[in-house]
Amino acid sequence: MEDFNSWRDLLNPEFYIKMGGFWLILFIVFAETGLFVGFFLPGDSLLFVSGIYAVDIIKATFGSTGSDFLDTTILASCVAIAAIIGNEVGYYFGVKAGPALYKKQDTMLFKKKYLYQAHDFFEKHGALAIIMARFLPVVRTFTPIVAGIVKMDKREFLRDNVIGAILWSFILIFAGHYLDKLFQEQFGINLKEKLELIIIIIVLVTTLPVIIKFVFGKKEDHSKYENKDLD
């Protein structure tokens, strides 16, 4: 078992893989959306690095199938299931919390108009929002909860949830596994020895769109939401 040495370990996906392996990976994926407290945990980088260790993870948990592709598929499939369940839990938390939030008075940290904005956003971009949120750190933690709060159709949410979870888990895990093999065979580079650099690159790539939107995004007129009643 990997020892905890510093708080930096909490941001290092390799630490979780070596400490808890398969089951801890699934729990982290679930917690990131299902427990509403997992936004600080590694998500994209955890899946990518898990792909690098896919064969070792499956072998240690169930015994190897003898096929890299099958081992990686098993891992990606289980991660997708955990991600789907996490989002569903987040969604139903939002459904239950929604009525109370709609009745809540505005405060410095809470503005009811944002709920109405989210409602309009999901009506217009529901499928794309749920699917693409999977690839955005922090955003994927809160998206299913907001979807539940604004009462997005549960069948549509489940459909988009499944699509997003499968794309997210299979793309990142298979990318990690086969890029590691490619770099070793073609360039003699072991990605396990470059994990810090890989994690930094993944964090930059996944958070850059959010930062650009926050810094340079056009501010919309929110006045139309004032004094708006729920249907």
Side-chain angles (χ1 to χ4, degrees), residues 42 60 105 179 205 226:
Q105 296 298 314
L179 282 176
V205 170
E226 298 297 337

Side-chain angles (χ1 to χ4, degrees), residues 6-25:
S6 73
W7 292 108
R8 291 181 59 188
D9 287 336
L10 298 179
L11 302 177
N12 180 5
E14 190 178 26
F15 168 74
Y16 295 101
I17 293 170
K18 291 185 176 180
M19 182 179 72
F22 177 81
W23 300 110
L24 184 57
I25 293 169

Side-chain angles (χ1 to χ4, degrees), residues 25-36 82-83 85-87 89:
I25 293 169
L26 297 190
F27 176 77
I28 290 174
V29 170
F30 166 79
E32 196 174 18
T33 52
L35 299 183
F36 196 33
I85 295 173
N87 256 23
V89 172

Side-chain angles (χ1 to χ4, degrees), residues 184-211:
Q184 287 197 54
E185 293 173 0
Q186 299 297 323
F187 309 106
I189 298 175
N190 186 349
L191 293 187
K192 293 178 183 177
E193 299 173 355
K194 310 289 183 180
L195 289 182
E196 288 191 5
L197 177 60
I198 291 172
I199 293 168
I200 291 173
I201 292 174
I202 292 175
V203 170
L204 288 176
V205 170
T206 55
T207 58
L208 191 59
V210 178
I211 295 173

Side-chain angles (χ1 to χ4, degrees), residues 145-209:
I145 298 171
V146 174
I149 290 174
V150 302
K151 291 183 171 58
M152 181 180 180
D153 182 84
K154 61 183 179 182
R155 286 182 291 272
E156 292 182 4
F157 178 82
L158 176 60
R159 177 199 65 200
D160 302 334
N161 179 19
V162 171
I163 294 172
I166 292 174
L167 289 175
W168 182 56
S169 60
F170 274 76
I171 288 174
L172 288 174
I173 289 176
F174 271 81
H177 182 74
Y178 285 103
L179 282 176
D180 180 47
K181 293 188 68 174
L182 176 66
F183 272 77
Q184 287 197 54
E185 293 173 0
Q186 299 297 323
F187 309 106
I189 298 175
N190 186 349
L191 293 187
K192 293 178 183 177
E193 299 173 355
K194 310 289 183 180
L195 289 182
E196 288 191 5
L197 177 60
I198 291 172
I199 293 168
I200 291 173
I201 292 174
I202 292 175
V203 170
L204 288 176
V205 170
T206 55
T207 58
L208 191 59

Side-chain angles (χ1 to χ4, degrees), residues 61-79:
T61 308
F62 306 109
S64 178
T65 65
S67 166
D68 280 17
F69 177 80
L70 189 54
D71 286 344
T72 307
T73 299
I74 291 172
L75 179 61
S77 299
C78 292
V79 167

Side-chain angles (χ1 to χ4, degrees), residues 35-73:
L35 299 183
F36 196 33
V37 294
F39 59 88
F40 64 90
L41 296 170
D44 302 310
S45 57
L46 176 63
L47 265 59
F48 187 89
V49 176
S50 294
I52 296 176
Y53 285 95
V55 174
D56 295 333
I57 292 170
I58 296 301
K59 182 178 180 180
T61 308
F62 306 109
S64 178
T65 65
S67 166
D68 280 17
F69 177 80
L70 189 54
D71 286 344
T72 307
T73 299

